Amino acid sequence: HMGQSAKSQSYNFTVVGTTQENLLNNATLVNITKVNRDNSQNFTLNYTATNTGNVTAYNTQLTFDTNPNIKVSNHNLGNMSSGNSINYVPQILVDKLTPPGIYNLYATLSWNNPSGTTSTKQNIIPVVVSKNESFSIAPTFSSLTMNPSNSNSTKVILTNLGNTQLTGTNLTCYTASVCNNFNIAFNNSNFNIPTNSSSTIEITAQNSNLEAQNYTAIIGVITSGGTKN
C-alpha cells in the first residue's frame, strides 16, 4: 500500500505573561477649609481599578501614601480577571491642627502578573489645606474697682483656635475718653501666638482722680486672625 499523509491546520499560540491595569478617580484636587484646633475634616474619593489586559491580575492592592496628618486605609482588591473593574471609595480624614499647605495623596495600584512579576500604577491628588486663623478671648468682660489716684489690673487670655500661628498681635483701647483718662496700658504688644497655645495679657488702668461712677471701655484685639472686642 502506498502511504497516505495529511497536513493538519496550523495554530498560533500566544503566551501572555503580564497584564495591564488602569487607576482612575473622580477628582483632580481636594480643598480642605474647616481644619483648626477643634475640628478635623473628612472627604471621600472614588477610585476605579480596571484590568485592561488579557489575563488575570493577582493579589491586586490599592495603597496610599501621604502626610501623617492625613489618614486613609489601604484596600485589597483581590484577583482581577481581564476586563474586570472594581470601585473603592475610602473615607479620608484630615486631622485637627493640620498646618496649611499642599499635601500630595499618592494612590498606588499594584498586582502580580502570571509570570510572577509585579506591576504598579500610581495616581496623585493634591490635598490643599487652607489657612484658618481664629482665636478666643477670655473673659469677655472684666470689672475693676479703683480709688482716686490708684491703679488696678486684670488679665485676659488669648487662645489660638486656628491651624497656623497668629502674628502681630496687639491690644488697643477703643473708648477714647476712658482710655485716656485711665491711662489703659498692656504688658505686651506685637506678639505671636503659636498654634494650640494661649497668651495671657495684663491690662492696667490708672485712675486720674475722676469722679466716682461707672466707666466702660472697649478693648480690642488685633491680630493676623482678625479683630475682636
Side-chain angles (χ1 to χ4, degrees):
H1 296 280
M2 294 182 62
Q4 294 182 348
S5 66
K7 187 176 182 180
S8 64
Q9 184 176 353
S10 297
Y11 293 92
N12 292 325
F13 294 91
T14 301
V15 178
V16 179
T18 61
T19 189
Q20 294 293 322
E21 291 196 323
N22 282 337
L23 179 63
L24 301 175
N25 62 71
N26 64 331
T28 57
L29 181 76
V30 177
N31 286 307
I32 301 298
T33 60
K34 299 178 181 179
V35 166
N36 56 23
R37 189 197 69 171
D38 300 319
N39 295 290
S40 57
Q41 186 172 341
N42 291 286
F43 67 95
T44 60
L45 291 172
N46 190 344
Y47 287 92
T48 302
T50 303
N51 184 345
T52 59
N54 296 317
V55 293
T56 298
Y58 297 96
N59 191 31
T60 304
Q61 304 286 330
L62 183 58
T63 57
F64 297 91
D65 185 32
T66 187
N67 185 276
N69 289 323
I70 300 175
K71 307 294 193 304
V72 55
S73 297
N74 298 328
H75 190 58
N76 182 0
L77 304 180
N79 299 332
M80 295 182 62
S81 59
S82 175
N84 188 25
S85 292
I86 298 178
N87 287 344
Y88 176 54
V89 183
Q91 282 276 350
I92 303 168
L93 170 70
V94 181
D95 273 344
K96 301 174 183 179
L97 288 171
T98 298
I102 300 175
Y103 304 94
N104 285 330
L105 175 60
Y106 298 91
T108 301
L109 188 69
S110 63
W111 65 94
N112 295 331
N113 296 297
S115 64
T117 60
T118 299
S119 298
T120 61
K121 183 79 71 172
Q122 191 174 75
N123 183 293
I124 303 173
I125 296 180
V127 178
V128 181
V129 179
S130 299
K131 180 185 292 186
N132 190 333
E133 295 179 299
S134 57
F135 62 96
S136 66
I137 306 172
T140 56
F141 177 83
S142 293
S143 178
L144 297 177
T145 301
M146 288 177 287
N147 294 321
S149 299
N150 283 351
S151 65
N152 202 347
S153 66
T154 186
K155 293 180 179 179
V156 296
I157 300 173
L158 309 180
T159 301
N160 187 343
L161 302 178
N163 66 341
T164 187
Q165 177 172 262
L166 297 174
T167 60
T169 307
N170 287 284
L171 281 74
T172 186
C173 186
Y174 285 131
T175 312
S177 59
V178 177
C179 301
N180 294 333
N181 288 324
F182 281 90
N183 297 318
I184 303 294
F186 313 99
N187 72 330
N188 203 354
S189 63
N190 198 33
F191 55 94
N192 301 330
I193 308 176
T195 55
N196 202 28
S197 299
S198 299
S199 290
T200 301
I201 307 302
E202 186 173 23
I203 304 173
T204 302
Q206 175 73 48
N207 187 350
S208 301
N209 291 314
L210 293 176
E211 62 179 274
Q213 67 177 53
N214 291 328
Y215 298 88
T216 301
I218 298 175
I219 304 297
V221 179
I222 304 170
T223 184
S224 59
T227 300
K228 283 187 179 182
N229 299 329

